[in-house]
Amino acid sequence: MSGNTVTLHSGLKRTRGPDATKVTEMVSFSDTSGPAPSAVYVERELPQGGVPAYLAARRGGARSFALWTDEWRRERVATVVTLSAAGGVSTYQVLGAYGEVVGTITREKALRGKGLRTRWTVHPSGASKAVGYKGRIVWWWLWWPLLPFMLVLLLATVLDSVPGNEGGMARAPRRIRWRAEGQVPLEFRSRGNKLHLHSPGVDWRLGAALISLLRSFHADAWDASPV
């Protein structure tokens, strides 16, 4: 399946001094022949109370991001806000530059929502919902019995692993394939942390918001910095 590939590059341009105010998280697009730009920049949008208030809210599932055209925040292209976050179920809304609704994304934590696996529902504005589950159920059944061995393997692979694949096979299943009306419009692949937009009808802003949300729930969450 072809389509655009969306990748979040975290902290690649951290600087000190006059450039310290730059946005340091970039979302890139592999195919810019359509409406998508080559990249946008994403940062957490802090509430009143600053970083401590944001971190306290995110522990309950809340997230708030701003997406910009460049690292200097010259133009906002999208915003991610939390509509609700309680009981392991969080719903986010993606808004365009003028406040228009681009889509809604819901995360239902494993054993808290409608199944044994974490469920992500993506509902583009004016289109059908796409539902995806974290990992294939067969890999979860294989992974859990081997968890004690996996913990040892995890330590070894963290100490000797390739960038972007820390944890290797010891890492819990993370691949997600979304299905809507018999199609697979979206797919997240854990190797390389890439989101594939297989359907040309998926709004690139929704794709950028989704990869930002997905990566915020990983062990190396880009938005969890205490500063």
Side-chain angles (χ1 to χ4, degrees):
M1 288 182 287
S2 61
N4 210 337
T5 300
V6 187
T7 310
L8 190 148
H9 308 272
S10 183
L12 295 181
K13 298 184 178 181
R14 295 194 184 280
T15 57
R16 296 179 181 274
D19 290 341
T21 58
K22 286 184 178 180
V23 180
T24 57
E25 274 64 46
M26 181 181 72
V27 176
S28 67
F29 299 85
S30 65
D31 180 6
T32 58
S33 60
S38 60
V40 294
Y41 292 78
V42 58
E43 67 175 340
R44 59 190 180 185
E45 198 150 53
L46 301 179
Q48 185 175 3
V51 174
Y54 180 88
L55 296 180
R58 83 180 295 281
R59 284 193 289 271
R63 300 289 191 274
S64 54
F65 307 147
L67 285 81
W68 308 94
T69 56
D70 61 84
E71 57 197 333
W72 294 110
R73 307 175 183 84
R74 290 188 176 90
E75 183 180 347
R76 183 187 293 257
V77 294
T79 305
V80 178
V81 298
T82 300
L83 295 181
S84 62
V89 180
S90 303
T91 300
Y92 313 96
Q93 195 168 66
V94 183
L95 306 174
Y98 302 101
E100 71 278 16
V101 178
V102 175
T104 303
I105 300 170
T106 300
R107 177 184 185 268
E108 299 169 79
K109 192 176 180 180
L111 304 177
R112 300 288 185 89
K114 299 178 180 178
L116 299 176
R117 294 175 290 167
T118 297
R119 167 176 161 144
W120 287 86
T121 302
V122 179
H123 191 182
S125 182
S128 301
K129 294 180 180 179
V131 178
Y133 292 89
K134 182 180 177 182
R136 294 178 60 187
I137 192 67
V138 64
W139 290 118
W140 279 111
W141 284 115
L142 291 173
W143 190 82
W144 280 112
L146 295 174
L147 182 56
F149 169 73
M150 289 296 188
L151 293 177
V152 176
L153 185 59
L154 176 62
L155 177 60
T157 53
V158 165
L159 296 176
D160 185 20
S161 60
V162 297
N165 193 40
E166 289 76 7
M169 65 173 290
R171 187 173 51 199
R174 295 192 303 161
R175 183 177 180 177
I176 305 172
R177 299 185 78 185
W178 282 265
R179 299 184 184 277
E181 299 181 339
Q183 302 296 317
V184 181
L186 298 159
E187 181 181 7
F188 174 76
R189 298 178 186 172
S190 58
R191 179 174 290 275
N193 292 310
K194 297 180 183 298
L195 176 67
H196 297 262
L197 310 183
H198 295 310
S199 172
V202 177
D203 193 304
W204 62 267
R205 296 170 297 179
L206 190 60
L210 180 56
I211 190 65
S212 300
L213 283 167
L214 289 169
R215 291 294 305 279
S216 77
F217 281 96
H218 287 181
D220 59 345
W222 67 271
D223 70 322
S225 172
V227 294

